[in-house]
Amino acid sequence: MWSNLFGPRGASDYAREVDLLSMFLLGIGLLFALGVFATVLWFSVRYRARPGHTATPTGASRGLAVLSIVGPLIAVLGVFLWGFRVQAHHMDVPPESIEISASARQWMWTFEHEEGLAEINALHLPVDVPVVLQVESEDVLHRLSLPAFRIQADAFPGTPANLWFRPTREGSYHFFCTEFCGTGHSTMSGTVYVLDPITYEHWVTGDTASMTPEEAGELLFAAFRCESCHISTGKGTGPALVGRFGKDASFDDGSTGIFDAAYVRESLLEPAARMVSGYQPVMPSYKGQLDETQISQIIAYLESLSDG
Ligand code: CUA
């Protein structure tokens, strides 16, 4: 419950620090607000004007005055020092960070890994390794915002901003452009895929030449975290894919067909076109993220799940 109070569930150690500080501020704010309300209520009952009772001033209390100045002063200074430490951590890029350039233009994000791999509106990262994004724009002002990691940075032309964080949880997380940059602003979003280090290593080095199409497809399946929805038990938001390839399928529009290569390809590029009946149109399109070779590798992998 608390983890969702300040946005999507945090997925970096920085997110934990920010949430803790936010929670403290919220708590201290509530404490003061309730204290004031309770005092007002108590006084208005206890000292209300009624026959036989008139309000008489009691004179100043030095102790109360000192307490009401020094107490909040210490609290506010404490919050300042705490916030300063969190911010200092945010500025202090660890030297072992992976460097990735994040380039914005109307209207897409391009991420380039040190190994030369470039991605559009998608970013693959290893878990538990610090990364620094060099955020820059090729045209107008944009802003890269990663809510699950509690960070964002403006993208200026010519002046890269360093944005570092350490993802602490495998999963997929949305990112957005949060600076209005033209008619396509709302489409400038994508997904960060946080992977286990071995899958990431295979992914980023493009080490698929030595793999069979099924193996390469399995890597892609892991890299895009398809299994987070297509859970093999069938309880996920997408249908289980084991044993499905080549079989008859019924679709939500009432039609039937075969769960074949053409259908998988269509579903990757235009997921909402025909859904397996009983499932919601929640799958994102991988148009622009997967090339034809990769699509055929995924098909080969799904086919292998139905063998035997
Ligand atoms: Cu780019 Cu809004």
Side-chain angles (χ1 to χ4, degrees):
M1 167 199 166
W2 288 109
S3 53
N4 289 332
L5 196 57
F6 305 106
R9 194 177 155 207
S12 67
D13 40 11
Y14 184 67
R16 202 174 316 124
E17 290 179 42
V18 170
D19 288 358
L20 210 62
L21 181 55
S22 307
M23 217 140 39
F24 178 76
L25 284 170
L26 189 69
I28 215 169
L30 274 175
L31 207 70
F32 273 95
L34 289 177
V36 168
F37 281 136
T39 310
V40 167
L41 206 64
W42 169 244
F43 276 34
S44 56
V45 173
R46 177 79 177 75
Y47 300 108
R48 72 187 186 280
R50 55 193 191 275
H53 289 83
T54 46
T56 45
T58 59
S61 157
R62 184 180 294 269
L64 197 61
V66 169
L67 191 72
S68 66
I69 291 170
V70 174
L73 185 72
I74 290 174
V76 168
L77 277 179
V79 168
F80 166 73
L81 286 176
W82 188 352
F84 184 81
R85 272 194 52 178
V86 173
Q87 182 66 14
H89 174 191
H90 185 44
M91 313 279 284
D92 190 17
V93 181
E96 72 275 21
S97 300
I98 302 176
E99 278 184 31
I100 293 172
S101 96
S103 181
R105 77 179 144 94
Q106 288 169 319
W107 286 279
M108 64 205 293
W109 291 100
T110 310
F111 297 94
E112 252 184 273
H113 296 255
E114 282 170 317
E115 291 81 354
L117 183 82
E119 311 185 63
I120 290 168
N121 290 345
L123 174 60
H124 287 78
L125 297 172
V127 72
D128 286 329
V129 178
V131 280
V132 55
L133 302 178
Q134 274 138 5
V135 185
E136 199 173 2
S137 169
E138 290 173 27
D139 42 44
V140 301
L141 188 63
H142 303 268
R143 187 171 178 85
L144 180 61
S145 173
L146 302 119
F149 308 111
R150 306 289 190 266
I151 51 168
Q152 49 182 342
D154 280 324
F156 293 109
T159 320
N162 281 338
L163 189 63
W164 89 270
F165 59 105
R166 188 199 322 268
T168 49
R169 205 152 46 78
E170 289 175 36
S172 39
Y173 309 98
H174 273 115
F175 65 81
F176 307 89
C177 178
T178 46
E179 192 79 71
F180 182 66
C181 55
T183 52
H185 162 68
S186 65
T187 63
M188 275 189 77
S189 65
T191 310
V192 178
Y193 300 94
V194 178
L195 308 172
D196 71 88
I198 293 166
T199 309
Y200 174 78
E201 201 51 39
H202 282 301
W203 162 264
V204 78
T205 52
D207 185 18
T208 53
S210 58
M211 293 183 182
T212 64
E214 295 89 73
E215 287 167 343
E218 188 176 3
L219 170 65
L220 289 165
F221 200 78
F224 284 99
R225 300 199 48 85
C226 308
E227 85 290 348
S228 59
C229 292
H230 295 285
I231 302 169
S232 55
T233 58
K235 299 246 168 68
T237 48
L241 297 173
V242 176
R244 195 172 285 271
F245 195 89
K247 306 282 160 56
D248 293 329
S250 51
F251 303 110
D252 63 335
D253 59 2
S255 67
T256 54
I258 302 203
F259 196 102
D260 56 4
Y263 178 67
V264 173
R265 185 176 179 280
E266 175 192 276
S267 296
L268 287 167
L269 301 177
E270 237 177 289
R274 273 186 302 163
M275 251 100 45
V276 169
S277 48
Y279 289 94
Q280 298 299 312
V282 291
M283 178 164 155
S285 169
Y286 292 91
K287 196 180 270 177
Q289 292 190 39
L290 294 168
D291 61 30
E292 285 301 327
T293 313
Q294 292 172 315
I295 289 173
S296 63
Q297 287 165 340
I298 288 178
I299 291 170
Y301 172 61
L302 294 186
E303 201 173 351
S304 75
L305 291 180
S306 292
D307 291 347

